[in-house]
Amino acid sequence: MSAYLPTLKQLQYLVALHEHGHFGRAADASFVSQSTLSAGLRDLETLLGTTLVERTKRAVRFTPLGNQVVAKAHRLLREAEELSDMVRSAGQPLSGEVRMSVIPTIAPFLLPRMLPRLRRERPQLKLYLREETSAAAIESLHHGRSDCVLLALPFPTGEVEKEVIELDALWVAFPKDDPRDPPEEINPDLIDENRLLLLEDGHCLKEHALAACNRPELRASATMIGTSLHTLVQMVDNGLGLTMLPEMAIDAGILNGTNVIARPLKSDNANREIALVWRKNSPRGDEFRLLAEELRAG
């Protein structure tokens, strides 16, 4: 075996630069100085005998071969982490570090009621949370930045395994003085497409809401403007329209202090599946199933 092999640290620097597109930001993300990161990448290029990154004052560009090396580096780093995970999982379950990405339409509503018990009953577990949109979270999972993801399904996830935590119903929220006197359950036909406010692209809740209504014209007419559920609630409270909210947000008190009321959406698929997902064949699969069990019990 050749003694002149890239180190994992060099590959981490390369991947960080590819992700951030900037030496300073890549160095910050790697917790090293910019000079240390630059030197590590120069050593990597010298070792491989080729240029991976074209450096200019204005931009960082990867060569075609550089992009191929980055793709291979992602796989090598992930496998190195899985090797460590395999050893760690052989010890006491849920006793080490777990990096979990959580989507913004779950994190502030589900975690506050689940985490206190988890910290109390699993004191050796170091849970590092990362809030990301669904697409970013799945990318983090497959690139090894996260070990597991708490998100809402259906959503394209690639090759993963999953454990369902709970079903979360969708509700329609509107101003309290809405003149149309909505019934106790809202049929999708009653939703005015010209008043519907939804989250901006990148949030899977938008797709779940539109799919539950099963009205193609809503996709074309809905105003997708909100950056968070709290923003949407404030817009509805100011009479700008109506929106759809997950039941967990309502249970967590998102409507407290507002003049917004909500009714359940009457539809065959008016819910989303809250699930914990992880990479297929991960050596920590049993540990993640146990984590899902703990979250489910919360």
Side-chain angles (χ1 to χ4, degrees):
M1 181 180 293
S2 171
Y4 302 101
L5 293 174
T7 67
L8 292 179
K9 185 61 69 177
Q10 289 170 339
L11 297 180
Q12 287 171 341
Y13 292 163
L14 185 70
V15 165
L17 182 61
H18 190 268
E19 179 181 350
H20 295 279
H22 184 275
F23 276 90
R25 290 193 293 271
D28 290 342
S30 303
F31 303 103
V32 297
S33 67
Q34 186 170 330
S35 60
T36 297
L37 183 132
S38 296
L41 290 175
R42 282 195 300 271
D43 289 345
L44 176 62
E45 289 178 321
T46 300
L47 181 66
L48 296 177
T50 188
T51 299
L52 303 175
V53 181
E54 297 175 0
R55 301 160 176 83
T56 69
K57 290 184 178 180
R58 294 187 177 181
V60 172
R61 294 188 181 89
F62 278 73
T63 65
L65 180 58
N67 284 318
Q68 294 180 42
V69 173
V70 167
K72 176 69 75 172
H74 274 300
R75 291 195 292 272
L76 291 172
L77 290 171
R78 188 171 64 241
E79 288 176 3
E81 291 215 358
E82 288 177 353
L83 185 149
S84 297
D85 292 344
M86 180 176 64
V87 175
R88 189 185 303 121
S89 64
Q92 183 180 353
L94 292 183
S95 60
E97 295 182 0
V98 172
R99 298 165 303 168
M100 183 167 73
S101 290
V102 191
I103 63 174
T105 58
I106 291 178
F109 313 116
L110 197 63
L111 295 183
R113 68 177 168 89
M114 290 182 167
L115 291 184
R117 190 185 64 81
L118 191 60
R119 283 194 295 266
R120 188 172 60 250
E121 298 187 4
R122 299 285 180 176
Q124 301 304 313
L125 174 65
K126 294 182 176 63
L127 189 60
Y128 293 92
L129 300 174
R130 180 185 185 124
E131 188 173 272
E132 300 180 288
T133 61
S134 302
I138 292 300
E139 182 182 1
S140 290
L141 178 69
H142 289 298
H143 283 173
R145 295 189 295 271
S146 294
D147 302 312
C148 58
V149 176
L150 188 60
L151 82 168
L153 301 175
F155 187 81
T157 58
E159 291 288 310
V160 300
E161 296 183 49
K162 72 170 185 176
E163 280 288 330
V164 176
I165 307 300
E166 62 181 46
L167 291 181
D168 187 31
L170 296 176
W171 290 52
V172 181
F174 47 87
K176 186 179 291 185
D177 58 355
D178 192 296
R180 295 179 301 171
D181 189 24
E184 287 305 304
E185 289 186 311
I186 306 296
N187 191 293
D189 293 339
L190 296 178
I191 295 175
D192 184 349
E193 65 268 23
N194 297 311
R195 298 177 64 216
L196 181 60
L197 305 170
L198 294 175
L199 290 172
E200 62 187 359
D201 289 336
H203 294 273
C204 61
L205 182 61
K206 181 196 77 173
E207 296 300 325
H208 296 155
L210 292 172
C213 292
N214 195 26
R215 287 177 53 193
E217 72 275 17
L218 285 182
R219 186 172 296 276
S221 304
T223 303
M224 289 165 284
I225 193 170
T227 55
S228 72
L229 293 182
H230 289 89
T231 300
L232 289 178
V233 168
Q234 292 305 312
M235 293 169 71
V236 174
D237 199 24
N238 280 280
L240 299 179
L242 55 88
T243 192
M244 277 186 267
L245 299 173
E247 187 173 28
M248 68 167 61
I250 296 171
D251 290 343
I254 196 171
L255 301 183
N256 292 351
T258 71
N259 287 313
V260 177
I261 58 177
R263 298 281 188 270
L265 180 65
K266 187 178 182 180
S267 171
D268 290 339
N269 58 338
N271 56 62
R272 56 184 192 157
E273 192 176 80
I274 309 302
L276 186 71
V277 305
W278 58 92
R279 292 184 292 275
K280 193 170 183 180
N281 300 323
S282 167
R284 301 180 75 181
D286 289 342
E287 192 173 7
F288 295 138
R289 289 185 186 91
L290 181 57
L291 177 58
E293 225 175 274
E294 295 281 1
L295 295 175
R296 199 181 294 122

